[in-house]
Amino acid sequence: MRLASSFLVLFAVAVPLAAQLRVIETQDLRLLFYDPRHTYLAPQLMRGFENAFQFHKRMFRYQPSGQVNILLEDFADYGHGGADVIPVNHVNVGIGAVNYTYETVPSNERMTWMMNHELAHVAEMDGSRSSDHFFRRLFGLGAFPGKVAPHAEDPISMAYSFLTVPRRYAPRWYHEGLAVFLETWMAGGMGRSLGGYDEMVFRALVRDDARIYDLVGLDVEGTTIDFQVGVNSYLYGTRFLSWLALEYGPEKVIQWAASGDGSKAYYGAQFRHVFGQPIAREWSRWIEAERAWQRENLTSIKQYPVTPVQRISRIALGSVSNSFFDESTGRLLAAVRYPGPMAHLAAIDPGTGAAHRLQEVEGAALFFVTSLAFDPSGRRLFYTTHNNNWRDLHVYDLNTQKDTKLIADYRAGDIAFDRAAGSLWGVRHVNGLSIIVESPPPYNKIVPRHELPYGHDLFDLDISPDGRTIVAMFADTSGRQKLVQFETGRLRDGDASMQTLHDFEFSSGASFRFTADGSQLYGTSYFTGASNIFRFDFSTRAMEILTNTETGLFWPQMLADGRLLAYEYTARGFCPVVVQAAKPLQDVSAVKYFGQQIVEKYPVVRQWKLPPPEKIDLQKLTTRAGEFSTFRNLRPYALYPIVQGYKDSAAAGARLDFTDGLGLSSLSITGSYSPDASLAAGERFHFGLDLHHWGWRVQANYNKADFYDLFGPTKQSLKGFEGIVGYRKNLRYKAPRSLDLDWSIAGYAGLDRVPDYQNVRTPFDKLLTARLGLSYSNLSRSLGAVDDEKGYRWKLATLGNAVNSEFFPRFYGLFDYGFLTPIRNSPIWIRSSAGKSFGNRLQPFANFYFGGFGNNYVDHLDISRYREFYSFPGVDLNRIGATSFGKTLLEWNLPPLRFRNFGVPWLYCNWVRPTVFSGVIAGNLASSRLQVVPATGATYYLDAGAQLDFRVVISSYLNTTFSAGYAAAQDRQGRRSTELMFSIKLL
């Protein structure tokens, strides 16, 4: 898993500036945590780290380039992780319990599992050969790491980055497939290489005669428009590497991933070097082998009668939550997430299959969408939002169709409604612990009932009709799972003793629910390899299997007429079905797991199982423990040459980058020189400093230069001195909602033009500017989208210019609103802005300026710059000046066209997306290119245009977009102008 920058951003804004990080260090590890309550996890993580890191060093013959920085955090309710090796080795570990839904993450103790997985990424990407060593020494001057991080503002760094860490630039399926493959055998066979869910996915693809993605198609469609999106990288990568291990041996897989002398830098070239074939050819061979394997499994399942099912939906619903049958309407209530619409609560008619959308689910989870509970008497659906962060609790009233937020930061899931008491139970994940909680009416508080020890987790709660009993699945650090029972009365009294109803051992059980009379439980398990429906009878204490399914059945519940309602897994997701037979079966074929063949053919993988970590002596390993300051730990990591542009001249120079190892504090220093004799001597040298420290930013520039000024028409270069101090604080963040405050103060000297407006000259060379802005966004997109499709955002801002003893204040506001159309991935946006500036209209500092697309021929900023309030395609840059204005833009994004197989694995086309737009701007406008001329009265401009964006992916990670646009504009006097735009956006 890659280190998601959003978590670091959230960390920087969520923790107060005065917060003091703590650190524990060993020779190879720097462990950091911001909350003292997380300290108890340090020993477990450190032992898991040492165990896994020593294994990976031996396996890959890996010599680390430095310590691994690991941050413990609790920013989400489920466990997660991410790793990267540039500019230094770093990992983030989300300490929450893992998500057990559908057994998508079979694992034992999660700190150990996380280290096994994430350190595989570090060892594989950080490993180096002689050429890598050369460039690391070159860019590090032999004194610091020398691994270059790509920076969009200096795109030449992309080439340097590849030269220093080439294995990082490989597709995600390669990285994740390798880590999952290794984690499985390091845990003695517990992992997704031997996982029931993975096996089911490919069995369903073969049964349904669906397409198994080729190399390019996986990234173009499989991880974008398929309902499983990014998870397909894990699924496909794991299967392909498992097939390679079976075909050529596990050692060959390690040889492919290792980076010793004689190995190739690019992962594709190394593949041919090791296996003697191009990777695309072997991928095709794997697909054929996969189809043959799954056909054998399907034939084996059919040795005994397959349980017949009746589908009750016209379409597969992608991901689904648990569901409930509403007796009063005869409809099935569930939450769904599939390509097209946003994730939502739905009422499904079993007779017609028609689905009625009830309420959008904000922040839907990938697999289970939301945690859902139903109050049948009150006809209320309780559900959670922001399921990938800190969850909130909502209730949707089916009678009034009103949605109400009940508890913010509820942080509980697996919710169940107690009909007897009218309360809501759930499992809360806080500080790495699982807590059984209850929320009595009116559902505005959380009452903890029992805190489980670390590593013990509960999921899939249900409550008996009389409210006396809670059943749940229980998992411990060994990976064993049990169906257990609690008494609600005793839980309320502080007695959390539980009774085991059935031990599934190392198989997964799920979603056991009471029948209407409370005498039985219906649930599912992968006990036979496929997820079948099981029944537990309280009178006989027997667990019986009821189905023999080809793919998998989930979320079963007994209907009043004795039939079973469940969800069948298909190639396009889960589909609601009715199971006619509910009698115990005597004979069911076991599904064979693909990974089991590896163990049988190559017993060496048994030796990869790690020894118990408890024997590791942490006291001997620990070299330091104490406080950690990100600012004081800024260290240089790379020095490399750069090229910049200044006005119409080129400049050559160098860039020196510093990091704290976490990305919370960073510093870059640039210096360059323009040999152009047409420049004045005082403008030939250029200096830049950019310091980030948590939310603070300090910049200093002298004759500011910018690489993209080499490719106009928009210029960022600025004569003279510039100094800026700014601060940005996230006042509220819960994806997709964000409220931000930012301010800055800037001083300038030696100016020859107005900052931000390259074509407006200034009669004064000194300026002091202060900015203050408050912005809010709530934007979302459906599966398959390439941009935000729905929601709104606004911004209120003020800017004051102090120049020559005069002060020119201005205020402006923005509001964007977007909505989906019946055409999939084709939203319409209305973007509005208005502003007012005070002061003499003859002064350039008293005006707003508009005009142009704003894109450079080679660029790194947003491709859709026509959306910015200062843009106005069809008119030259900065041509329209106004002391007050109102502006509206109507935009229609047409559906993107995706290419299934257009290119090769290291260079392919992803999508092309057309957009049409039209705008109007009105105000007391002045029209001039280099100076402001007072207008005779109010006037306006109209424009209309189109833009075509074409996405190309280079080396799996470098997204490059080619854009072309055309716009025509007309003013009040009927004068027309046009503009053509061509641009290539790097990164």
Side-chain angles (χ1 to χ4, degrees):
M1 286 177 269
R2 290 299 177 86
L3 183 61
S5 59
S6 59
F7 283 115
L8 288 182
V9 172
L10 179 58
F11 180 61
V13 299
V15 182
L17 184 63
Q20 182 65 59
L21 293 175
R22 303 288 297 176
V23 64
I24 303 175
E25 294 190 52
T26 69
Q27 179 182 345
D28 293 318
L29 169 67
R30 177 192 282 169
L31 177 61
L32 299 123
F33 44 95
Y34 60 89
D35 193 326
R37 291 172 295 182
H38 302 165
T39 309
Y40 77 96
L41 288 169
Q44 186 68 37
L45 184 141
M46 293 174 69
R47 289 190 175 98
F49 172 91
E50 188 67 21
N51 222 8
F53 206 51
Q54 294 305 322
F55 171 87
H56 290 307
K57 286 198 291 187
R58 292 191 305 269
M59 183 66 68
F60 291 100
R61 297 181 181 179
Y62 164 57
Q63 295 296 322
S65 62
Q67 286 180 306
V68 181
N69 297 272
I70 297 183
L71 172 68
L72 284 179
E73 46 93 344
D74 191 27
F75 302 149
D77 293 336
Y78 287 106
H80 55 269
D84 208 342
V85 298
I86 55 173
V88 294
N89 301 333
H90 54 283
V91 174
N92 79 297
V93 174
I95 64 176
V98 299
N99 180 4
Y100 294 93
T101 305
Y102 307 132
E103 199 191 56
T104 51
V105 186
S107 69
N108 47 17
E109 194 280 315
R110 61 180 180 270
M111 292 296 117
T112 299
W113 165 67
M114 201 80 72
M115 291 299 95
N116 293 348
H117 183 102
E118 301 303 340
L119 294 178
H121 291 319
V122 172
E124 173 259 319
M125 292 189 291
D126 187 43
S128 58
R129 59 205 50 76
S130 57
S131 59
D132 306 346
H133 280 302
F134 170 79
F135 287 110
R136 291 183 188 183
R137 289 194 299 268
L138 177 65
F139 298 134
L141 300 180
F144 34 91
K147 294 186 293 184
V148 179
H151 295 283
E153 61 269 24
D154 286 304
I156 198 171
S157 61
M158 291 183 260
Y160 303 149
S161 186
F162 180 82
L163 292 173
T164 54
V165 281
R167 288 295 174 82
R168 180 182 185 270
Y169 295 93
R172 192 181 182 197
W173 64 258
Y174 163 78
H175 295 298
E176 302 302 351
L178 177 66
V180 171
F181 177 77
L182 285 169
E183 80 182 29
T184 300
W185 311 119
M186 293 168 72
M190 183 169 291
R192 283 165 286 190
S193 289
L194 285 170
Y197 183 85
D198 294 47
E199 200 69 47
M200 177 183 68
V201 167
F202 289 95
R203 192 166 64 250
L205 288 170
V206 173
R207 186 201 67 169
D208 297 344
D209 197 25
R211 185 164 59 92
I212 299 178
Y213 294 111
D214 58 26
L215 268 177
V216 175
L218 174 60
D219 285 328
V220 173
E221 287 190 332
T223 59
T224 54
I225 64 175
D226 188 280
F227 83 98
Q228 301 202 92
V229 287
V231 171
N232 274 327
S233 294
Y234 293 80
L235 293 167
Y236 279 72
T238 302
R239 298 298 282 197
F240 180 57
L241 268 72
S242 295
W243 177 81
L244 288 173
L246 183 64
E247 189 77 359
Y248 297 99
E251 294 89 348
K252 283 286 188 180
V253 173
I254 300 302
Q255 184 182 349
W256 176 31
S259 300
D261 287 338
S263 65
K264 306 298 182 181
Y266 186 56
Y267 90 104
Q270 175 70 355
F271 185 93
R272 184 187 285 270
H273 176 67
V274 172
F275 296 103
Q277 299 289 339
I279 192 169
R281 182 178 301 173
E282 293 299 275
W283 189 279
S284 297
R285 289 188 61 210
W286 157 65
I287 291 176
E288 291 305 312
E290 185 70 53
R291 291 191 181 279
W293 171 259
Q294 297 303 349
R295 282 193 290 266
E296 289 181 11
N297 256 335
L298 290 166
T299 300
S300 176
I301 291 172
K302 292 176 183 178
Q303 288 181 357
Y304 301 100
V306 174
T307 303
V309 298
Q310 176 188 351
R311 294 188 179 181
I312 60 175
S313 174
R314 290 194 292 258
I315 61 172
L317 300 176
S319 300
V320 296
S321 69
N322 59 328
S323 61
F324 303 90
F325 190 76
D326 185 358
E327 299 285 351
S328 62
T329 63
R331 291 185 173 185
L332 178 66
L333 304 175
V336 298
R337 180 179 182 265
Y338 56 91
M342 301 293 180
H344 58 277
L345 303 178
I348 303 169
D349 187 329
T352 65
H356 176 64
R357 299 179 194 176
L358 301 175
Q359 171 68 30
E360 185 175 318
V361 177
E362 193 172 84
L366 173 61
F367 288 113
F368 63 92
V369 188
T370 183
S371 183
L372 193 66
F374 181 47
D375 169 16
S377 60
R379 300 197 69 242
R380 296 177 296 179
L381 280 171
F382 296 89
Y383 71 101
T384 55
T385 60
H386 310 292
N387 293 277
N388 299 309
N389 304 112
W390 287 6
R391 290 167 287 191
D392 294 343
L393 177 65
H394 284 240
V395 63
Y396 179 80
D397 192 309
L398 292 162
N399 296 315
T400 65
Q401 300 180 8
K402 181 181 178 181
D403 182 77
T404 305
K405 182 194 288 189
L406 298 174
I407 303 176
D409 295 340
Y410 180 55
R411 302 203 66 182
D414 298 283
I415 58 177
F417 185 74
D418 182 348
R419 301 184 190 183
S423 62
L424 195 69
W425 291 77
V427 180
R428 200 166 194 239
H429 295 163
V430 179
N431 296 320
L433 300 174
S434 296
I435 308 165
I436 304 173
V437 297
E438 183 181 14
S439 294
Y443 316 106
N444 57 5
K445 65 179 181 178
I446 303 169
V447 182
R449 295 303 185 190
H450 176 63
E451 182 178 280
L452 281 76
Y454 167 76
H456 291 188
D457 302 315
L458 287 176
F459 59 100
D460 285 350
L461 271 63
D462 197 43
I463 302 175
S464 60
D466 61 11
R468 295 180 178 179
T469 304
I470 294 178
V471 295
M473 289 302 304
F474 172 83
D476 61 22
T477 55
S478 70
R480 297 178 69 103
Q481 294 190 12
K482 302 175 183 179
L483 178 63
V484 299
Q485 171 183 291
F486 298 88
E487 292 187 20
T488 54
R490 289 186 175 182
L491 273 175
R492 292 185 179 109
D493 293 336
D495 181 358
S497 56
M498 65 181 183
Q499 179 183 2
T500 298
L501 301 179
H502 185 78
D503 190 342
F504 285 96
E505 299 178 346
F506 294 102
S507 296
S508 175
S511 59
F512 278 86
R513 299 171 68 174
F514 284 95
T515 54
D517 62 3
S519 65
Q520 296 175 324
L521 296 169
Y522 285 84
T524 64
S525 174
Y526 285 100
F527 188 78
T528 65
S531 180
N532 278 297
I533 297 176
F534 285 73
R535 179 177 65 196
F536 178 81
D537 192 296
F538 281 95
S539 61
T540 64
R541 315 297 287 184
M543 183 70 74
E544 301 169 309
I545 186 170
L546 304 180
T547 63
N548 181 34
T549 181
E550 290 182 296
T551 57
L553 294 170
F554 299 88
W555 305 114
Q557 58 181 302
M558 177 66 73
L559 299 177
D561 59 6
R563 297 180 301 164
L564 280 173
L565 186 65
Y567 288 90
E568 181 188 31
Y569 184 85
T570 73
R572 293 188 299 153
F574 295 90
C575 186
V577 297
V578 172
V579 181
Q580 299 295 337
K583 296 181 180 180
L585 301 178
Q586 299 301 318
D587 296 306
V588 178
S589 292
V591 171
K592 297 179 180 178
Y593 286 178
F594 190 89
Q596 187 60 36
Q597 300 175 95
I598 301 173
V599 183
E600 295 170 357
K601 188 174 180 180
Y602 300 101
V604 66
V605 297
R606 297 181 184 272
Q607 301 173 21
W608 293 2
K609 183 179 179 180
L610 298 184
E614 289 77 12
K615 296 181 180 180
I616 296 175
D617 189 341
L618 293 182
Q619 188 172 1
K620 289 183 178 179
L621 292 175
T622 302
T623 59
R624 175 178 176 259
E627 296 182 348
F628 181 85
S629 167
T630 60
F631 187 76
R632 290 197 297 269
N633 278 275
L634 277 175
R635 300 289 186 271
Y637 68 84
L639 174 66
Y640 49 92
I642 59 172
V643 176
Q644 295 182 315
Y646 178 74
K647 296 184 176 179
D648 295 318
S649 302
R655 172 173 175 146
L656 177 61
D657 287 327
F658 296 74
T659 184
D660 62 354
L662 293 175
L664 298 174
S665 295
S666 63
L667 171 66
S668 65
I669 300 173
T670 60
S672 62
Y673 179 78
S674 298
D676 190 346
S678 66
L679 289 175
E683 292 186 67
R684 296 181 186 178
F685 178 75
H686 316 283
F687 172 82
L689 180 148
D690 193 350
L691 171 67
H692 292 258
H693 179 61
W694 298 63
W696 291 91
R697 184 172 188 178
V698 177
Q699 291 179 285
N701 294 288
Y702 175 69
N703 293 331
K704 180 181 177 181
D706 187 277
F707 171 83
Y708 298 94
D709 282 13
L710 294 169
F711 306 96
T714 303
K715 303 287 187 180
Q716 298 295 325
S717 53
L718 190 67
K719 178 178 177 291
F721 293 93
E722 175 187 50
I724 302 174
V725 176
Y727 183 69
R728 181 182 180 89
K729 182 173 180 59
N730 187 276
L731 301 177
R732 180 67 174 168
Y733 177 82
K734 185 164 284 189
R737 301 173 184 263
S738 181
L739 178 65
D740 299 286
L741 176 71
D742 64 271
W743 61 262
S744 66
I745 299 175
Y748 304 87
L751 288 175
D752 61 357
R753 67 174 179 87
V754 177
D756 301 328
Y757 302 123
Q758 67 188 59
N759 294 324
V760 181
R761 301 190 66 84
T762 170
F764 307 105
D765 67 348
K766 294 183 178 60
L767 171 68
L768 183 65
T769 296
R771 303 171 187 259
L772 176 65
L774 181 68
S775 58
Y776 180 83
S777 64
N778 179 13
L779 305 173
S780 54
R781 63 182 68 182
S782 64
L783 291 176
V786 300
D787 209 344
D788 293 322
E789 295 183 312
K790 182 181 178 181
Y792 61 93
R793 67 173 181 174
W794 55 260
K795 181 176 183 178
L796 298 174
T798 179
L799 182 147
N801 290 321
V803 57
N804 197 33
S805 302
E806 290 188 77
F807 183 65
F808 302 93
R810 68 174 68 175
F811 303 90
Y812 66 93
L814 319 173
F815 183 78
D816 296 346
Y817 176 74
F819 57 91
L820 291 169
T821 66
I823 304 173
R824 178 176 165 184
N825 300 133
S826 183
I828 290 177
W829 286 88
I830 302 171
R831 306 182 189 275
S832 302
S833 57
K836 172 65 177 176
S837 178
F838 300 88
N840 187 341
R841 198 182 309 167
L842 294 174
Q843 291 291 348
F845 299 103
N847 286 265
F848 299 92
Y849 295 93
F850 308 87
F853 275 93
N855 304 66
N856 276 342
Y857 303 125
V858 178
D859 212 331
H860 70 296
L861 300 178
D862 193 281
I863 58 175
S864 303
R865 299 257 275 287
Y866 62 84
R867 297 171 177 170
E868 302 294 340
F869 86 97
Y870 51 78
S871 298
F872 202 79
V875 177
D876 288 344
L877 287 170
N878 311 148
R879 184 167 183 81
I880 304 171
T883 53
S884 62
F885 74 94
K887 180 187 171 192
T888 298
L889 177 74
L890 180 65
E891 172 190 341
W892 180 23
N893 302 140
L894 278 71
L897 172 65
R898 294 187 179 274
F899 303 95
R900 285 186 174 177
N901 194 358
F902 187 14
V904 292
W906 60 272
L907 176 65
Y908 58 87
C909 302
N910 199 321
W911 48 258
V912 60
R913 191 272 304 271
T915 299
V916 294
F917 58 85
S918 180
V920 58
I921 185 170
N924 56 324
L925 306 177
S927 183
S928 174
R929 185 164 184 81
L930 298 178
Q931 61 180 346
V932 176
V933 177
T936 56
T939 187
Y940 64 87
Y941 278 75
L942 295 171
D943 76 347
Q947 182 167 315
L948 189 69
D949 301 313
F950 190 82
R951 173 64 56 83
V952 174
V953 180
I954 304 172
S955 295
S956 304
Y957 278 94
L958 305 178
N959 292 327
T960 301
T961 307
F962 295 83
S963 298
Y966 173 81
Q970 179 175 300
D971 66 8
R972 187 175 185 178
Q973 286 72 38
R975 292 173 294 195
R976 297 182 180 180
S977 58
T978 61
E979 182 183 6
L980 276 172
M981 182 274 292
F982 296 97
S983 179
I984 301 174
K985 181 193 173 183
L986 305 176
L987 283 182

